[in-house]
């Protein structure tokens, strides 16, 4: 995979996708003068004995405690050790790689007071695939993702465990194998490493990318379901959507027109007596368009956050000032994650209704439960039940996390974002949605079988062929779970994105 040269503050969403996929990276040397200037500012403050939060004071509620110059390195080390309190399952390797990249790029903006050596060490961990074992739970998304970033930082000190090529081992051993010395922290460096929104942002980006793949699959499965149910393409008429003007809605309708263009199945029932289709077919541009608008807004927010400086305090070398603020508060990430969660839940809810429509002979005009000789065969009966169960689970998971603040640190940190949880749950929701959409793709493909020899559009016939390359037609009952897993994997891998690339960023 081609290495990326990252310019701090100017990383596009396309590069963030590649970083999540494991692309190696380096930081542009053009950032180094700014980094060196911020380090000098910190050194001048220490030399002057001027009190500055996190440089020569305690942390949080202990900010009034002054720290002697000879204890400043121990102060930063103690911070990392005391904050390494995460619990729960470990973050996956792709997410950890992205965290390392985001933290390196943020520090390289030159407002954090850390040496270039610290930034290089993050790059080296990524390059050698030394991935800190970071427990997923323990951050409330304010004061930075303190606990998870502490575990990341501890590995740089040779403390805790890491994974190297999937093998877990002590960090000190992995550093030795790579020819790296444990990092000795300077003033401000521990705090700069722990402060920041890089964990919640990486998790939200992971959720965004999964949501994009699911969204693409849902557009394809929705169009295929319209064909299977012999639905109308009239609801996708450009004139309808121009009158409303919602951008996502217009884009989705245009995509449906493109996907269905030239369908012989559609032409076969052009003069049928049905006046209107159910909402799950007819209102796809309205629902999926609204979801697209949310995903686009979330993408913009998360791309901005990925390029941000979000630790505290911030160093302004041009004036020699150290300013305490709250960029570590991850409310933008929490809101973005909640929006993505709503989109995931609604995409799945609409998909499940189309599955229910297809298995209902009275609604679809197809054989009951999409199988020959219903009764002897149950067909897609319980596959729809599975989809309903997953939709219900996603509804519960979609409850907004950003409104659920709990005060911490003896009420010094009295409002928090819960962004890390908000972002982390997107992984489970995307997995559920992939299964729902996998079931719909199988159901819609099966519905098409009953319309043969009529052909759908060229695009949807290519979709149908892609499904059939993985899962054969379902004409009698068989062990169903592997079929669903195969279709789910196609969704998860983004194989349907090729048909809808134009409307995703």
């Amino acid at each position: 995979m081609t290495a990326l040269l990252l310019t701090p503050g100017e990383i596009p969403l396309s590069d963030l996708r590649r970083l999540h996929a494991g692309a190696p990276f380096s930081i542009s040397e053009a950032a180094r003068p700014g980094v060196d200037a911020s380090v000098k500012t910190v050194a001048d403050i220490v030399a002057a004995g001027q009190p500055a939060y996190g440089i020569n004071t305690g942390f949080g509620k202990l900010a009034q405690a002054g720290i002697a110059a000879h204890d400043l390195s121990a102060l930063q080390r103690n911070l990392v050790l005391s904050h390494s309190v995460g619990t729960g399952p470990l973050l996956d390797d792709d997410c950890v790689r992205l965290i390392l990249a985001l933290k390196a790029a943020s520090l390289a903006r030159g407002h954090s007071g850390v040496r270039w050596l610290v930034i290089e060490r993050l790059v080296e961990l990524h390059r050698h695939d030394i991935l800190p074992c970071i427990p997923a739970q323990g951050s409330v998304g304010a004061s930075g993702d303190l606990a998870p970033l502490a575990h990341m930082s501890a590995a740089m000190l040779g403390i805790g465990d890491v994974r190297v090529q999937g093998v877990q081992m002590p960090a000190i051993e992995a550093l030795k194998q790579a020819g790296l010395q444990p990092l000795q922290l300077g003033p401000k460096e521990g705090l700069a490493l722990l402060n920041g929104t890089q964990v919640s942002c990486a998790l939200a980006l992971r959720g965004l990318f999964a949501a994009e793949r699911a969204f693409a699959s849902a557009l394809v499965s929705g169009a295929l379901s319209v064909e299977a149910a012999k639905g109308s393409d009239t609801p996708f008429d450009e004139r309808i959507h121009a009158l409303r003007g919602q951008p996502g809605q217009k884009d989705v309708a245009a995509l449906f027109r493109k996907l269905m263009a030239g369908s012989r199945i559609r032409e076969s029932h052009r003069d049928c007596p049905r006046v209107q289709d159910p909402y799950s077919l007819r209102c796809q541009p309205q629902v999926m368009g609204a979801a697209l608008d949310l995903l686009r807004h979330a993408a913009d927010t998360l791309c901005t956050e990925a390029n941000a400086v979000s630790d505290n305090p911030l160093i302004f070398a041009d004036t020699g000032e150290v300013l305490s603020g709250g960029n570590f508060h991850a409310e933008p990430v929490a809101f973005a994650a909640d929006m993505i969660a709503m989109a995931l839940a609604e995409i799945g809810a609409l998909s499940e209704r189309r599955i229910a429509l297809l298995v209902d002979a009275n609604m679809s005009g197809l054989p009951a439960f999409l199988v020959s000789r219903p009764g002897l065969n149950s067909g897609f009966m319980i596959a729809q039940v599975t989809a309903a169960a997953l939709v219900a689970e996603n509804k519960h998971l979609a409850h907004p996390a950003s409104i659920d603040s709990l005060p911490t640190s003896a009420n010094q940190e009295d409002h928090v974002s819960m962004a890390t949880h908000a972002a982390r749950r997107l992984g489970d929701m995307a997995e559920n949605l992939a299964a729902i959409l996998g079931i719909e793709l199988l159901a819609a493909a099966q519905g098409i079988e009953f319309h043969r020899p009529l052909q759908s559009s060229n695009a949807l016939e290519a979709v149908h062929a892609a499904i059939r390359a993985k899962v054969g037609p379902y004409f009698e009952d068989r062990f169903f779970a592997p079929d669903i897993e195969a279709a789910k994997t196609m969704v998860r891998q983004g194989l349907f994105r090729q048909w809808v690339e134009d409307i995703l960023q």
Side-chain angles (χ1 to χ4, degrees):
M1 192 178 294
T2 304
L4 297 173
L5 178 63
L6 304 183
T7 300
E10 300 178 16
I11 306 170
L13 191 66
S14 57
D15 282 356
L16 294 172
R17 285 197 191 91
R18 293 175 63 193
L19 288 168
H20 181 253
F25 74 94
S26 59
I27 301 292
S28 172
E29 283 283 337
R32 186 160 188 169
V35 170
D36 292 342
S38 73
V39 174
K40 183 179 183 303
T41 300
V42 170
D44 291 345
I45 289 170
V46 171
Q50 175 185 345
Y53 175 74
I55 296 175
N56 49 20
T57 74
F59 307 104
K61 196 73 171 179
L62 303 176
Q64 304 307 315
I67 308 298
H70 64 270
D71 284 330
L72 296 186
S73 180
L75 172 71
Q76 300 300 317
R77 180 182 175 87
N78 288 346
L79 178 71
V80 172
L81 298 181
S82 67
H83 286 50
S84 296
V85 294
T87 188
L90 300 180
L91 296 181
D92 64 85
D93 288 353
D94 287 343
C95 193
V96 174
R97 292 187 186 98
L98 183 54
I99 291 167
L100 293 172
L102 295 182
K103 176 54 78 173
S106 179
L107 297 179
R109 290 283 301 272
H111 291 278
S112 301
V114 305
R115 293 166 293 164
W116 190 255
L117 170 65
V118 176
I119 298 165
E120 284 184 327
R121 181 55 50 86
L122 290 163
V123 176
E124 288 166 343
L125 289 181
H126 191 285
R127 181 181 302 127
H128 291 286
D129 206 41
I130 300 172
L131 304 178
C133 290
I134 302 177
Q137 295 171 292
S139 173
V140 295
S143 293
D145 291 313
L146 294 174
L149 286 174
H151 285 273
M152 178 202 75
S153 304
M156 301 168 72
L157 309 184
I159 298 168
D161 285 348
V162 298
R163 285 193 298 263
V164 181
Q165 302 297 322
V167 177
Q168 189 163 327
M169 65 178 68
I172 189 66
E173 181 181 333
L175 293 176
K176 183 177 180 181
Q177 290 179 3
L180 301 174
Q181 292 295 319
L183 191 65
Q184 301 295 316
L185 295 173
K188 175 71 165 60
E189 290 180 342
L191 182 59
L193 285 165
L194 268 60
N195 259 195
T197 61
Q198 288 77 35
V199 172
S200 54
C201 189
L203 286 166
L205 284 167
R206 181 187 69 172
L208 172 69
F209 301 149
E212 290 175 336
R213 294 189 294 271
F215 180 84
S217 304
L219 292 179
V220 169
S221 66
L224 203 63
S225 289
V226 172
E227 287 286 83
K230 286 193 171 181
S232 174
D233 57 358
T234 299
F236 312 131
D237 190 295
E238 182 178 9
R239 292 168 293 179
I240 295 172
H241 307 286
L243 287 175
R244 194 177 204 186
Q246 294 290 352
Q249 178 177 326
K250 292 193 294 183
D251 290 346
V252 168
L255 191 280
F256 271 85
R257 294 194 298 272
K258 179 180 175 181
L259 285 174
M260 297 181 65
S263 167
R264 302 310 302 170
I265 294 175
R266 174 64 186 112
E267 292 305 319
S268 73
H269 61 94
R270 181 70 65 182
D271 298 320
C272 71
R274 187 189 304 171
V275 177
Q276 290 186 331
D277 293 324
Y279 288 3
S280 61
L281 301 182
R282 187 182 2 144
C283 296
Q284 290 186 79
Q286 288 78 9
V287 178
M288 295 297 289
L292 178 59
D293 288 335
L294 280 187
L295 293 178
R296 286 172 170 171
H297 182 73
D300 288 342
T301 296
L302 295 176
C303 189
T304 298
E305 190 68 16
N307 283 283
V309 181
S310 55
D311 60 295
N312 181 67
L314 299 178
I315 311 300
F316 292 86
D318 55 342
T319 62
E321 291 178 282
V322 179
L323 303 182
S324 287
N327 279 2
F328 49 66
H329 197 297
E331 195 83 339
V333 179
F335 280 170
D338 281 347
M339 287 192 294
I340 295 169
M342 287 192 295
L344 290 169
E346 281 295 88
I347 292 167
L350 197 65
S351 173
E352 185 277 329
R353 287 294 80 201
R354 292 191 296 267
I355 299 167
L357 183 155
L358 291 174
V359 301
D360 184 341
N362 295 321
M363 295 290 290
S364 68
L366 296 166
F369 302 108
L370 299 171
V371 68
S372 300
R373 302 177 68 190
L376 175 64
N377 296 296
S378 294
F380 280 72
M381 180 189 295
I382 306 304
Q384 184 266 327
V385 174
T386 294
L390 295 173
V391 166
E393 186 173 319
N394 271 2
K395 287 180 180 179
H396 290 289
L397 288 170
H399 177 82
S402 56
I403 62 172
D404 195 16
S405 176
L406 282 172
T408 61
S409 192
N411 283 310
Q412 173 73 9
E413 297 154 10
D414 55 356
H415 183 276
V416 300
S417 72
M418 298 298 179
T420 316
H421 163 64
R424 181 165 52 85
R425 71 30 159 115
L426 298 178
D428 291 337
M429 294 187 70
E431 280 291 293
N432 291 342
L433 179 55
I436 296 164
L437 295 172
I439 293 169
E440 184 188 5
L441 286 161
L442 295 177
Q446 183 63 18
I448 297 293
E449 302 289 352
F450 293 108
H451 299 320
R452 296 305 190 207
L454 290 174
Q455 296 284 300
S456 184
S457 65
N458 289 339
L460 292 180
E461 285 296 334
V463 170
H464 189 272
I467 296 168
R468 285 291 170 255
K470 301 291 184 181
V471 180
Y474 196 108
F475 292 129
E476 61 182 7
D477 285 345
R478 63 176 184 247
F479 189 49
F480 210 149
D483 295 348
I484 294 174
E485 189 60 35
K488 177 182 176 181
T489 298
M490 296 176 74
V491 174
R492 190 192 295 121
Q493 293 176 343
L495 296 182
F496 299 101
R497 187 164 178 158
Q498 60 186 297
W499 287 284
V500 302
E501 199 68 50
D502 292 348
I503 67 171
L504 291 171
Q505 295 185 14

